Amino acid sequence: MKYLISDVQLVSGEHTDLFVAEGSFRDPADASGDVTRIDASGLIALPGLVDLHTHLREPGREDAETIASGTKAAARGGYTCVHAMANTDPVADTAEAVEHVLEVGLAEGSAQVVPVGAVSKGLEGQELAELGLMARSKARTRFFSDDGKCVADSLLMRRALSYVTAFDGVIAQHSQDPRLAGAGACCHESEWSGRLGLPGWPAQAESVIVARDVQLAELTGARLHVCHVSTAESVEVIRWAKKRGIRVTAEATPHHLYLDVSNVEGYDTTYKVNPPLATNEHIEAVREALADGTIDAVATDHAPHNPQDKDHPFDVALPGMLGLEQSLAVVMETMLNPGRITWETLAERMSYAPARIGQVANQGRALAVGEPANLVLVDPSARATVDKNASLSRSRNNPYHGRELPDPVVLTMWAGDVTYGR
Ligand code: DOR
């Protein structure tokens, strides 16, 4: 298929035509023959979004999500690439397991699927997984995480960081001190945890691990990525580490930019997530850090769950919420529309930076002749009320249900194919 997208606005503000043929952008002067024309006046073209943090649940929990359904939801959210987290069943801790995710992604995905490898065998935090074999596999894994669990053992974390320097890999840490956030902790420790009678999770359960890990990254010279930063203290540590030249990058989720702990008031387990929703002081710190680049990227932590795992008392239900379909909307609402960031910075945080961090060479590229045709066409003024039942995900744990938000994604194109259009 060939496409001529006319009069589209780029993030720089410039208006242009984009011609797509055989998966790449071509010179619009060469558009001839059987070309599908798309009038994009009033629309903005962003590079296809890249998610560093997606739970696709396949293999093992296909009742909650599959690679096919999760990447359909991704395409609807404007994503052309997702990093599939390793906390599946079986865990993606071997070369065969990451190759399997890669192959299903290629066969059934509506977006590029980059398999994340586990750091420890079975996510058990005891022994390193097959990091080297995963790196040499067809999946060429460079991004490793025990996400869902923290690599709590300092020596194991040091070894993992040292190991991946051999191929310039990255360890992405779920920073959660298992003792401080133990005993069923499920609510940001504050007046709210007390009032609701929910075990508290102090902000420091995150930041003590971030502080340890940036020092281990300095010791080993390795690249550390901090998943879902949610507190002011973590932001301060990352700012300090970056100033010192430590190789650390960080991500923030849409839900930690938008939702606060008061949502937990009705004990609706949709709002149970790790790390927990925090107070406004922390939300402000995360927003500021995303604006000034201390936090490099937005990542969804899209975590589909079946009602069987959510319909329980708050402290027992599984943590996690959907994110792929409303991520861009939330970043527009909290960051772009209030003037905290420009479209250029939004493209950096949601496409260019995550592609660099995840080392995905063909994503996060400029919309320029010769580059792969990965893009999302955005209507900057459309708004709608989110309906969880209209989701392309298999799950319904959507924390934005019933909220009025931007509804920006008009069309998503991955490698020259339309993967979503409305
Ligand atoms: O709330 C969460 N759920 N946080 C994580 O880090 C993991 C995720 C999941 O896998 O459900």
Side-chain angles (χ1 to χ4, degrees):
M1 290 288 281
K2 295 179 185 174
Y3 297 93
L4 184 64
I5 303 168
S6 59
D7 192 27
V8 73
Q9 188 186 318
L10 302 178
V11 291
S12 60
E14 182 196 337
H15 285 252
T16 190
D17 293 345
L18 296 169
F19 175 48
V20 175
E22 285 156 36
S24 304
F25 293 112
R26 305 287 165 112
D27 186 341
D30 296 338
S32 61
D34 191 8
V35 178
T36 302
R37 287 165 194 272
I38 299 171
D39 174 8
S41 48
L43 304 182
I44 296 173
L46 299 176
L49 308 182
V50 176
D51 192 18
L52 283 169
H53 194 144
T54 312
H55 297 278
L56 292 176
R57 304 293 189 226
E58 182 175 353
R61 285 309 300 266
E62 289 86 346
D63 55 322
E65 197 75 286
T66 62
I67 290 172
S69 66
T71 55
K72 278 200 181 103
R76 176 188 246 161
Y79 286 89
T80 53
C81 176
V82 298
H83 287 66
M85 277 296 173
N87 63 339
T88 47
D89 184 11
V91 171
D93 57 1
T94 63
E96 292 74 19
V98 288
E99 283 180 353
H100 174 74
V101 172
L102 179 77
E103 277 157 20
V104 179
L106 286 170
E108 297 172 15
S110 298
Q112 184 175 349
V113 176
V114 177
V116 176
V119 175
S120 71
K121 286 189 181 163
L123 306 179
E124 279 171 8
Q126 303 292 321
E127 237 184 297
L128 286 186
E130 293 179 357
L131 307 182
L133 294 177
M134 288 190 269
R136 292 174 69 106
S137 75
K138 279 191 211 125
R140 296 185 48 76
T141 309
R142 292 290 180 276
F143 200 76
F144 298 91
S145 184
D146 272 2
D147 183 73
K149 290 193 177 166
C150 179
V151 181
D153 184 296
S154 307
L155 182 57
L156 193 77
M157 187 63 178
R158 177 189 182 174
R159 286 190 178 138
L161 286 162
S162 290
Y163 197 106
V164 300
T165 58
F167 41 82
D168 205 28
V170 186
I171 302 292
Q173 175 72 295
H174 173 119
S175 310
Q176 175 184 340
D177 184 279
R179 297 282 288 158
L180 286 174
C186 60
C187 179
H188 178 73
E189 189 173 291
S190 58
E191 187 195 335
W192 286 96
S193 54
R195 200 191 304 162
L196 298 173
L198 292 171
W201 175 315
Q204 288 75 6
E206 178 175 289
S207 54
V208 295
I209 297 291
V210 180
R212 181 201 73 176
D213 287 351
V214 294
Q215 294 179 73
L216 293 176
E218 183 169 47
L219 175 66
T220 54
R223 294 174 57 203
L224 168 73
H225 179 72
V226 185
C227 296
H228 38 53
V229 172
S230 72
T231 72
E233 289 81 354
S234 299
V235 163
E236 278 314 302
V237 173
I238 295 162
R239 204 169 266 139
W240 171 84
K242 284 192 163 184
K243 232 181 247 156
R244 226 173 134 82
I246 296 171
R247 302 172 80 200
V248 58
T249 54
E251 67 185 39
T253 70
H255 47 273
H256 291 116
L257 288 168
Y258 184 62
L259 300 169
D260 70 81
V261 59
S262 70
N263 287 285
V264 170
E265 185 163 25
Y267 301 94
D268 177 348
T269 60
T270 309
Y271 297 106
K272 180 171 176 181
V273 66
N274 290 351
L277 301 176
T279 50
N280 284 330
E281 163 211 347
H282 295 289
I283 295 173
E284 265 310 300
V286 172
R287 289 179 180 180
E288 194 186 313
L290 186 65
D292 72 19
T294 302
I295 294 177
D296 305 78
V298 172
T300 66
D301 196 4
H302 178 83
H305 285 300
N306 190 305
Q308 252 169 271
D309 294 316
K310 277 291 193 185
D311 293 348
H312 294 289
F314 199 87
D315 56 338
V316 181
L318 289 188
M321 46 181 65
L322 300 187
L324 284 167
E325 287 166 289
Q326 275 78 42
S327 177
L328 178 58
V330 169
V331 175
M332 287 172 67
E333 186 80 348
T334 57
M335 302 296 294
L336 182 96
N337 293 344
R340 287 170 176 265
I341 59 169
T342 60
W343 281 109
E344 277 168 320
T345 304
L346 185 144
E348 168 66 17
R349 303 283 186 269
M350 298 192 77
S351 177
Y352 298 129
R356 270 199 316 275
I357 294 166
Q359 299 178 57
V360 195
N362 55 334
Q363 297 277 347
R365 315 281 303 192
L367 305 183
V369 172
E371 296 288 357
N374 301 319
L375 69 82
V376 48
L377 293 182
V378 163
D379 179 344
S381 54
R383 296 185 71 88
T385 301
V386 176
D387 175 5
K388 66 179 178 183
N389 296 313
S391 175
L392 296 178
S393 167
R394 280 210 166 170
S395 289
R396 292 290 174 264
N397 52 320
N398 188 324
Y400 310 108
H401 176 69
R403 296 174 198 260
E404 204 242 346
L405 280 171
D407 186 20
V409 179
V410 174
L411 178 142
T412 306
M413 183 180 281
W414 168 41
D417 290 331
V418 173
T419 48
Y420 174 76
R422 74 172 183 222

